[in-house]
Structures are given as structure tokens and as C-alpha cells.
């Protein structure tokens, strides 16, 4: 059985530039493949860590966005904080995945997205055993992306470069990254012990008979479920229409999907077909993602 380290090495090599950069930024052995952090990754915990390690900075949470990654499966939370000046807000992006390999994939997604949005940056690998398993940062210290076991983290100071007469950024991104990484390590645990939540075992899809029928699917969730929940629709024949109770998107095409609270309305226009629905959920504190797939048959 190949080790996690060798599996990641195979993932990264032969490697285009981004993969090569990640491979070069390998710092610390991953240890057991079951390692993860049990630190609650909810916004309250993240904000407390920032306030603890930035005592001289006026901190205000500006915005939060939350969504799921499909490949790799992950739950992503982006929080933007003001630092008391209009020039120097910073962002924390936490992506919780279900394996060390997927965390590295999420790190690659983050770096590629940053290059796509902001153009080629002067990125470099970080050789620092005090921070993460794999680490890449920008030369201007406005961006650092790293993995700690199953979690990928990005700290970023957006905005244009400031005139020379302005002081350096009020947030030392590398120092804050090291502090956050130490908090992750100090709550070391195993994947089997991390809080998880998904569909309740009592939830079952209804039995549907006949074409042109409409059924309301009301999902039942386990305790601890995160309020952000998404679904994906996969159907070979475009015979079904899915409406949700959150975004009101229509899932009448293959691989459609959206966000929902607890209900989906499904209408099928023919018999002898099947509809696969994937429910994407996470735990409200650990952000641990879960994907449950269900098949709805029409006879």
C-alpha cells in the first residue's frame, strides 16, 4: 500500500509550474494518513485566533461566503476582515477536505485561481518546518497558501500595491499563518473522531409511480449540520425538473444543481427513468464535507 507522501508525489510529478511549486514547498511529514485537526473551524474560532495574535490591530469582520468544491470534495469558507484601514483588509480561506491528497488538490485549485484572477504572481515555495505540510507564498508576503493534513488554508491581502510612503501591511501574514497552523496542530486528532454530519439514517427517497408527477423531497439531517447545503442533479435523459427552496434554480439539465434548505421539488415527465441526486453537506464547526448520493426511480 503506497504511503500518502508517495501518492501526493505521484499527483505532483511530472509537474507543470504550479505543481512543481507545491512539491518544492514540502516541509513536514504528513504522518498517519488519518491525521486531521479537531480545531473548530467555525468563524467564531477563526476570529478569536486572529484577535489573539493581532492584539494591536482593529479587527472587523466584513463578509463571509461559503460553498462546496466538487473536485476535490471540500467545504470552503472565505472570511474577509478589516484591519482598521481602507487599504489593508485580509481574507482567510479555509477548505476542509477528507484526505491529505485532496487538501493538496485544493491548494492547487487556490493557487491556479489566484493566478487566473490576478495574473502571474511572484510565487515561491516556503521551506519552513514551522508552517504546514506544503507551503507556497508570494514574494511580497501578501499571499500564503498551505496545507495542514486534510485542510487547505489561504491568507491573502487583496488590493493594489501601496505607495512607498505607506507603512508595511498592518498584518504579518506569515506570522498569522504560523499561529493558525499551530492552533490546527495543537488540536491534532484523527479522521474517525472529527465531527461529521449528513443525512439522517431515517431519510429515504419516496417511491414514485407514473409520469408527470411531482414529489416534494424533504431531507432529514443529522444534528450538527451546517446551514449551507447544496445538491447536484445527474440524469441520463433530461426528463426531470428539480426546483429547490433556496436558489430557485431549475435542475432540468444534466449535472444541474444549487443550494437548498431542506426541500427539493421533483417533476418527471416520463416513466422508466432514474434521477441521481447528490447532497453536499458539512458539519457546522469542523466544516467536514459529506457527499450522499440517492437515486430516484420512476416506473
Amino acid at each position: 500500500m503506497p504511503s500518502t507522501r508517495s501518492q501526493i508525489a505521484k499527483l505532483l510529478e511530472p509537474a507543470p509550474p504550479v505543481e512543481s511549486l507545491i512539491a518544492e514547498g514540502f516541509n513536514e511529514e504528513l504522518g498517519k494518513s488519518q491525521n486531521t485537526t479537531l480545531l473548530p473551524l467555525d468563524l467564531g474560532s477563526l476570529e478569536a485566533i486572529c484577535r489573539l495574535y493581532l492584539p494591536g490591530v482593529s479587527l472587523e469582520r466584513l463578509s463571509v461566503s461559503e460553498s462546496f468544491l466538487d473536485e476535490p470534495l471540500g467545504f470552503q469558507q472565505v472570511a474577509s476582515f478589516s484591519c482598521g484601514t481602507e487599504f489593508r483588509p485580509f481574507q482567510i480561506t479555509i477548505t476542509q477536505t477528507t484526505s491529505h491528497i485532496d487538501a493538496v488538490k485544493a491548494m492547487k485549485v487556490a493557487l491556479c485561481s489566484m493566478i487566473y484572477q490576478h495574473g502571474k504572481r511572484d510565487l515561491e515555495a516556503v521551506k519552513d518546518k514551522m508552517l504546514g505540510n506544503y507551503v507556497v507564498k508570494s514574494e511580497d508576503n501578501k499571499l500564503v497558501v498551505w496545507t495542514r493534513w486534510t485542510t487547505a488554508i489561504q491568507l491573502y491581502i487583496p488590493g493594489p500595491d501601496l505607495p512607498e510612503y505607506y507603512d508595511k501591511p498592518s498584518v504579518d501574514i506569515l506570522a498569522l499563518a504560523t499561529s493558525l497552523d499551530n492552533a490546527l496542530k495543537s488540536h491534532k486528532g484523527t479522521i474517525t473522531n472529527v465531527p461529521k454530519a449528513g443525512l439522517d439514517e431515517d431519510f429515504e427517497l419516496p417511491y414514485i409511480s407514473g409520469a408527470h408527477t411531482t414529489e416534494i423531497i424533504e431531507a432529514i439531517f443529522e444534528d450538527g449540520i451546517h446551514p449551507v447545503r447544496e445538491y447536484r442533479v445527474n440524469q441520463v435523459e433530461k426528463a426531470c425538473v428539480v426546483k429547490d427552496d433556496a436558489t430557485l434554480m431549475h435542475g432540468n439539465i444534466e449535472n444541474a444543481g444549487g443550494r437548498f434548505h431542506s426541500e427539493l421539488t421533483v417533476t418527471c415527465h416520463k416513466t422508466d427513468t432514474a434521477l441521481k441526486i447528490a447532497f453536499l453537506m458539512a458539519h457546522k464547526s469542523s466544516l467536514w464535507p459529506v457527499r450522499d448520493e440517492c437515486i430516484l426511480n420512476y416506473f
Side-chain angles (χ1 to χ4, degrees):
M1 187 82 179
S3 66
T4 301
R5 170 71 173 128
S6 63
Q7 287 178 289
I8 293 177
K10 186 176 181 180
L11 171 70
L12 297 175
E13 297 176 358
V18 170
E19 286 91 333
S20 296
L21 200 59
I22 296 173
E24 184 183 347
F26 174 72
N27 280 308
E28 186 176 314
E29 290 295 340
L30 295 166
K32 294 181 179 179
S33 61
Q34 288 292 307
N35 282 347
T36 187
T37 182
L38 301 182
L39 174 72
L41 295 176
D42 61 278
L43 285 171
S45 299
L46 295 179
E47 193 165 337
I49 292 172
C50 291
R51 292 186 183 280
L52 179 64
Y53 290 99
L54 300 172
V57 177
S58 176
L59 205 62
E60 178 184 358
R61 191 193 305 170
L62 299 177
S63 63
V64 178
S65 65
E66 297 159 313
S67 60
F68 286 90
L69 296 181
D70 285 294
E71 182 54 44
L73 173 63
F75 187 75
Q76 189 170 87
Q77 193 173 74
V78 183
S80 179
F81 294 89
S82 165
C83 306
T85 82
E86 59 179 309
F87 296 107
R88 293 297 189 183
F90 72 95
Q91 292 177 346
I92 300 178
T93 301
I94 297 281
T95 305
Q96 182 64 279
T97 71
T98 59
S99 73
H100 299 169
I101 295 173
D102 281 352
V104 173
K105 289 181 180 178
M107 180 181 181
K108 175 187 171 183
V109 170
L111 289 169
C112 289
S113 176
M114 187 62 61
I115 291 172
Y116 177 78
Q117 293 179 33
H118 302 283
K120 190 177 185 304
R121 305 178 64 92
D122 293 324
L123 300 173
E124 60 186 13
V126 177
K127 306 303 291 183
D128 181 357
K129 291 186 180 297
M130 296 296 292
L131 175 60
N133 303 119
Y134 291 84
V135 191
V136 174
K137 77 173 188 70
S138 63
E139 290 185 353
D140 59 9
N141 289 330
K142 292 183 180 179
L143 167 72
V144 58
V145 185
W146 79 99
T147 68
R148 170 56 61 191
W149 301 313
T150 61
T151 310
I153 310 98
Q154 173 184 307
L155 294 182
Y156 175 51
I157 300 179
D161 293 333
L162 299 183
E164 292 182 0
Y165 54 81
Y166 280 104
D167 291 333
K168 64 180 181 179
S170 55
V171 174
D172 185 336
I173 287 293
L174 280 178
L176 181 57
T178 302
S179 300
L180 181 54
D181 191 59
N182 285 336
L184 296 173
K185 286 193 295 184
S186 67
H187 290 75
K188 180 179 178 180
T190 63
I191 290 175
T192 55
N193 292 329
V194 71
K196 304 179 181 74
L199 292 174
D200 190 275
E201 60 181 9
D202 292 331
F203 169 72
E204 293 182 359
L205 288 175
Y207 173 86
I208 297 178
S209 178
H212 305 290
T213 57
T214 297
E215 185 74 28
I216 294 178
I217 299 173
E218 185 168 0
I220 304 173
F221 304 106
E222 294 176 328
D223 294 338
I225 197 75
H226 196 284
V228 173
R229 301 180 279 270
E230 297 181 8
Y231 69 98
R232 305 288 185 267
V233 174
N234 189 306
Q235 52 183 323
V236 176
E237 299 179 80
K238 299 173 184 177
C240 299
V241 175
V242 179
K243 296 181 182 180
D244 56 64
D245 59 359
T247 59
L248 300 180
M249 293 175 62
H250 288 62
N252 61 341
I253 59 173
E254 187 178 359
N255 297 323
R259 186 165 292 186
F260 75 110
H261 297 136
S262 61
E263 292 183 356
L264 297 177
T265 302
V266 181
T267 303
C268 190
H269 300 294
K270 64 176 294 185
T271 57
D272 194 24
T273 188
L275 177 71
K276 180 186 290 185
I277 303 176
F279 295 94
L280 305 182
M281 301 150 291
H283 191 274
K284 62 184 178 183
S285 67
S286 69
L287 308 188
W288 194 266
V290 173
R291 180 187 180 103
D292 281 341
E293 291 188 346
C294 306
I295 297 178
L296 195 59
N297 292 299
Y298 290 84
F299 299 99

